[in-house]
Amino acid sequence: MGQSVPLDDLPSTIARSLPYNHPALDDHAAMVEQKYGLPTGLLRSIKNDGERSNNNQVSQKGASGFMQFMPDTAKEYGLTDSRDPVA
């Protein structure tokens, strides 16, 4: 993991303004993977190698946030703010 400040320790306004490939987001993705038993690198790969979207971007179809959640998918998983990287 990188030498960044933990995402949970950053004010939400700063966390929401980080670029998609910021080390704090990569470190948080690794922590979530470990917590939920996901394959190492999965979330980082989706976030960094997929759409490469920053938090303020919304696709033509309505996907938003770093991970480009569609509104119905976000709702299905209880995600109320797809731009909150900790959520």
Side-chain angles (χ1 to χ4, degrees):
M1 288 193 219
Q3 299 287 331
S4 64
V5 173
L7 196 56
D8 290 337
D9 292 346
L10 293 174
S12 65
T13 54
I14 292 175
R16 289 178 178 170
S17 68
L18 297 173
Y20 74 93
N21 59 350
H22 192 278
L25 295 172
D26 292 340
D27 290 349
H28 190 74
M31 184 272 305
V32 171
E33 290 166 351
Q34 185 175 29
K35 179 178 179 179
Y36 291 101
L38 299 171
T40 300
L42 176 67
L43 296 178
R44 182 178 177 176
S45 178
I46 292 169
K47 180 179 66 65
N48 293 350
D49 298 332
E51 293 293 323
R52 296 184 182 185
S53 298
N54 289 319
N55 221 9
N56 60 349
Q57 294 175 290
V58 178
S59 76
Q60 292 178 349
K61 301 254 181 184
S64 64
F66 295 110
M67 299 296 283
Q68 288 288 282
F69 271 90
M70 291 295 292
D72 287 344
T73 304
K75 184 178 179 180
E76 181 180 335
Y77 286 96
L79 182 61
T80 58
D81 184 357
S82 63
R83 295 185 309 166
D84 179 357
V86 174

